[in-house]
Amino acid sequence: MELETIYFHLAGHCGMNCSHCWLMNPDDTGKSKQRESFLPLETFQNVLEQGLDMGVENVKLTGGEPLIHPEIKQILSVLNSKNVFLIIETNGIPCADKSIVKSITKCKNIFVAVSLDGTTAEVHEKIRGVKGCFDKTVEGIKNLVNAGLKPQIVMSMTKANKHQIEPMVRFAEKIGAASVKFNIVTPVQKGKAMMENNELIEINELIEIGEWIENDLANNSNVGIVYSQPFAFRPFSRIIRGGRDEGCGIFNIIGVLSNGKYSMCGIGDIVPDLVFGDTETDKLRDVWKNNPVLNEIRNSIPDKLEGICGSCMMKKACLGTCVALNYYRTKNLVSPFWYCEEAFKAGLFPETRIS
């Protein structure tokens, strides 16, 4: 398997206190509980060069909040000098600083995703847990648009904001965004507590929302729309079109945490079993080729996937949707994805996708 993408988790914190955060424990009450750390610039450059030597084509800056890194402008300058496609995931607040936006726009090939969970301060700030963050985020989005970038708006859906789905699409159209992605909140850390407290949308309604978005809303919008449901529930037309919202990318990605550890995406912050090594002592190529967990995944997925995922005709495309989340829930790398499992138990899994 070739390494194509590195996820750099530049910061271990973000300044928010989101109700669904998967990097904080359910009993956390403030940002001080997040691990406040930054990936050193030297480490970033070192791993990036190793990745480029291996053929890496894509770099994602994420976190925490990547744009609060004290050397973010230097990091962006380094990336601007390389032939890579850059993805930035941000809460948008740092983009209220036009100098940050200017540094971002210097990068040649770039995609920016901004988290916004409501079209009003009341809804967004209830979910994000910080007063005044709505106006700053909207200002950041406007600055990106005015600088010539068309960001994607990412909305994490819960019962508290599900009524904002179509308003968010209209908001995106008006503000000049390129697309809207609707993320289904997963039962990880705070999300797990939300599920136990019945604050997440039930599986039957999630499927209904998906059908409405795919078959109605998406056809009546001037922006692109992505709904992050598993492959088995998507129309074939969308699967053929493809895009960035695909199945699990574990065959082609690796994460670097803000503490310098190699990890399966960012899950290593909360699941030590999915930390693959240390950037100070381990070479990227050695980790990628020889880590026993990565090799177990390559030898097991998708053929040994269990439950409904093992019987799904889409398993070679989605690879279980998210191996990291599946392991978090069960300590089993080949366990089925929770959404598909719940749908199957409820008699809602599409029979036409079962082989």
Side-chain angles (χ1 to χ4, degrees):
M1 302 295 176
E2 298 300 322
L3 180 61
E4 297 176 357
T5 304
I6 302 177
Y7 290 2
F8 286 102
H9 295 259
L10 295 184
H13 57 294
C14 69
M16 298 287 101
N17 185 24
C18 300
S19 59
H20 56 280
C21 181
W22 60 274
L23 291 177
M24 293 174 66
N25 292 319
D27 61 344
D28 286 338
T29 57
K31 63 182 181 181
S32 62
K33 295 294 183 180
Q34 295 177 327
R35 178 169 52 78
E36 296 194 3
S37 59
F38 296 107
L39 184 71
L41 175 61
E42 182 180 358
T43 302
F44 166 80
Q45 291 175 300
N46 188 349
V47 176
L48 176 63
E49 291 299 333
Q50 292 181 62
L52 293 174
D53 287 343
M54 294 172 62
V56 165
E57 299 176 347
N58 310 300
V59 169
K60 178 186 284 188
L61 302 184
T62 184
E65 171 52 56
L67 299 182
I68 64 173
H69 193 288
E71 296 174 293
I72 185 59
K73 292 180 181 179
Q74 293 94 316
I75 289 172
L76 291 170
S77 179
V78 169
L79 289 167
N80 184 37
S81 68
K82 308 298 181 182
N83 185 27
V84 295
F85 183 81
L86 174 60
I87 304 161
I88 297 177
E89 293 180 337
T90 175
N91 61 34
I93 293 176
C95 296
D97 180 347
K98 291 183 179 180
S99 69
I100 293 289
V101 173
K102 185 177 180 180
S103 294
I104 292 172
T105 56
K106 290 179 181 178
C107 297
K108 303 179 186 71
N109 302 306
I110 188 166
F111 175 85
V112 181
V114 181
S115 296
L116 184 68
D117 292 328
T119 62
T120 66
E122 179 183 8
V123 175
H124 178 71
E125 291 174 10
K126 180 180 180 181
I127 293 171
R128 292 278 150 175
V130 175
K131 288 290 184 182
C133 66
F134 175 79
D135 288 341
K136 285 290 186 181
T137 296
V138 172
E139 182 181 355
I141 295 172
K142 289 180 177 178
N143 285 343
L144 289 166
V145 171
N146 291 337
L149 294 173
K150 286 184 169 291
Q152 179 180 80
I153 292 175
V154 181
M155 174 176 153
S156 296
M157 300 188 311
T158 70
K159 287 184 176 180
N161 67 348
K162 65 181 183 179
H163 63 288
Q164 293 268 281
I165 293 174
E166 183 166 3
M168 185 61 76
V169 171
R170 305 310 168 204
F171 178 88
E173 291 173 334
K174 183 178 179 180
I175 205 170
S179 60
V180 180
K181 180 181 178 184
F182 294 103
N183 272 348
I184 297 169
V185 173
T186 55
V188 176
Q189 298 295 85
K190 281 190 168 184
K192 181 180 179 181
M194 291 185 74
M195 176 174 277
E196 293 169 351
N197 294 331
N198 199 30
E199 297 175 89
L200 299 185
I201 305 169
E202 287 85 1
I203 189 64
N204 61 321
E205 190 173 3
L206 285 173
I207 294 171
E208 290 174 1
I209 290 172
E211 292 175 348
W212 168 61
I213 288 176
E214 300 280 15
N215 300 317
D216 187 0
L217 187 59
N219 295 321
N220 294 282
S221 169
N222 295 325
V223 297
I225 298 179
V226 179
Y227 184 63
S228 64
Q229 62 184 343
F231 269 74
F233 297 85
R234 304 180 188 181
F236 276 117
S237 59
R238 177 177 155 194
I239 295 172
I240 293 170
R241 286 197 305 270
R244 291 191 186 85
D245 183 42
E246 300 300 334
C248 186
I250 189 56
F251 287 168
N252 306 107
I253 68 168
I254 196 167
V256 178
L257 304 179
S258 60
N259 62 3
K261 304 292 186 182
Y262 294 110
S263 170
M264 181 191 296
C265 51
I267 199 75
D269 265 330
I270 56 174
V271 183
D273 293 352
L274 299 181
V275 170
F276 302 146
D278 194 311
T279 56
E280 289 191 6
T281 56
D282 303 309
K283 295 296 184 182
L284 177 59
R285 187 182 298 274
D286 292 339
V287 171
W288 182 250
K289 296 292 185 181
N290 302 319
N291 180 265
V293 177
L294 285 172
N295 284 327
E296 181 181 351
I297 290 169
R298 292 161 186 157
N299 293 330
S300 303
I301 295 176
D303 293 338
K304 296 180 182 179
L305 283 169
E306 298 175 355
I308 185 58
C309 290
S311 303
C312 179
M313 63 183 295
M314 307 304 298
K315 65 182 180 182
K316 290 186 178 180
C318 81
L319 305 178
T321 303
C322 181
V323 174
L325 175 57
N326 298 344
Y327 186 83
Y328 168 89
R329 294 179 59 243
T330 66
K331 300 301 180 184
N332 179 3
L333 290 168
V334 294
S335 62
F337 189 59
W338 71 273
Y339 185 109
C340 300
E341 187 177 34
E342 291 296 317
F344 182 71
K345 289 178 180 178
L348 299 173
F349 193 90
E351 295 184 3
T352 57
R353 304 294 170 88
I354 301 177
S355 60

